[in-house]
Amino acid sequence: MTDLMAAQLAVMQLHARYVDAVWRGDHDTVGDCFAEEGEWRIAGEVIKGRAAAIAFSKRSQSMTRALLVTLRNPCVNVWNGEITARTYFTAHNFMTDGSVFTPIGMYYERFVHEREALRFKWRLFQTLYSGGPDYKGDLLEFPDYGPAPAMPPLDAIPTAKGARGVG
């Protein structure tokens, strides 16, 4: 098995653990997907550390009855011992008010082996679509960092520069 194949499998297993934990509302297991000093850049926030990832998971899921995340096949790269990926994302957020919110986005991800498992070292979530399941919401502009394996800088903050216009 090549390093790339092993990395692809490890990333997909981490994604599967993360998706399962999110659906079950298991915030400790969501946090365990992150390195102790991992960084999660999402919703205009920079969440640093496993404890902060757990707190963010609790806070964000307090507005939902259920959250089903679907992560597409990651575009994985291994270079100089570092594993990175670009992973497209959709979600079905069943909100506490009865509405459904279905964002589309992508994760830029960096990984580290910690405690005998692959964990998120750095993740940046970039929203591409914001709206409901009728897709009448907005497609958002975002920085284009080039084709994979290109990655944003470590200090990048998720941005949305306005609608490209849908519906």
Side-chain angles (χ1 to χ4, degrees):
M1 184 178 298
T2 68
D3 288 344
L4 180 58
M5 291 171 65
Q8 180 93 17
L9 181 59
V11 168
M12 291 173 76
Q13 286 297 308
L14 175 58
H15 284 170
R17 288 193 312 271
Y18 173 78
V19 166
D20 178 67
V22 168
W23 175 254
R24 293 181 305 100
D26 182 346
H27 308 295
D28 290 334
T29 300
V30 167
D32 193 49
C33 292
F34 287 84
E36 187 63 42
E37 301 301 319
E39 192 169 286
W40 192 4
R41 293 171 170 263
I42 186 168
E45 294 186 48
V46 178
I47 294 111
K48 293 186 178 187
R50 184 175 296 132
I54 292 168
F56 179 81
S57 177
K58 288 177 180 178
R59 190 173 71 246
S60 63
Q61 285 199 1
S62 71
M63 299 175 279
T64 67
R65 292 182 295 125
L67 170 55
L68 179 60
V69 169
T70 302
L71 295 170
R72 304 301 192 272
N73 288 330
C75 185
V76 175
N77 188 54
V78 179
W79 182 255
N80 289 334
E82 182 181 41
I83 302 171
T84 62
R86 183 180 299 190
T87 308
Y88 287 85
F89 162 107
T90 55
H92 291 83
N93 293 273
F94 300 90
M95 308 306 287
T96 55
D97 68 3
S99 65
V100 179
F101 177 61
T102 55
I104 298 172
M106 75 170 76
Y107 268 113
Y108 295 96
E109 303 168 302
R110 296 175 185 274
F111 304 91
V112 64
H113 287 276
E114 186 178 276
R115 294 181 292 124
E116 299 183 28
L118 196 68
R119 301 197 189 302
F120 300 119
K121 176 181 176 182
W122 182 92
R123 296 183 97 194
L124 180 134
F125 181 74
Q126 181 61 63
T127 305
L128 306 176
Y129 166 78
S130 181
D134 60 3
Y135 298 104
K136 292 182 179 178
D138 292 325
L139 281 177
L140 304 173
E141 291 185 21
F142 55 92
D144 183 356
Y145 298 106
M151 296 285 287
L154 291 175
D155 62 352
I157 300 293
T159 60
K161 295 181 182 174
R164 283 196 290 202
V166 194

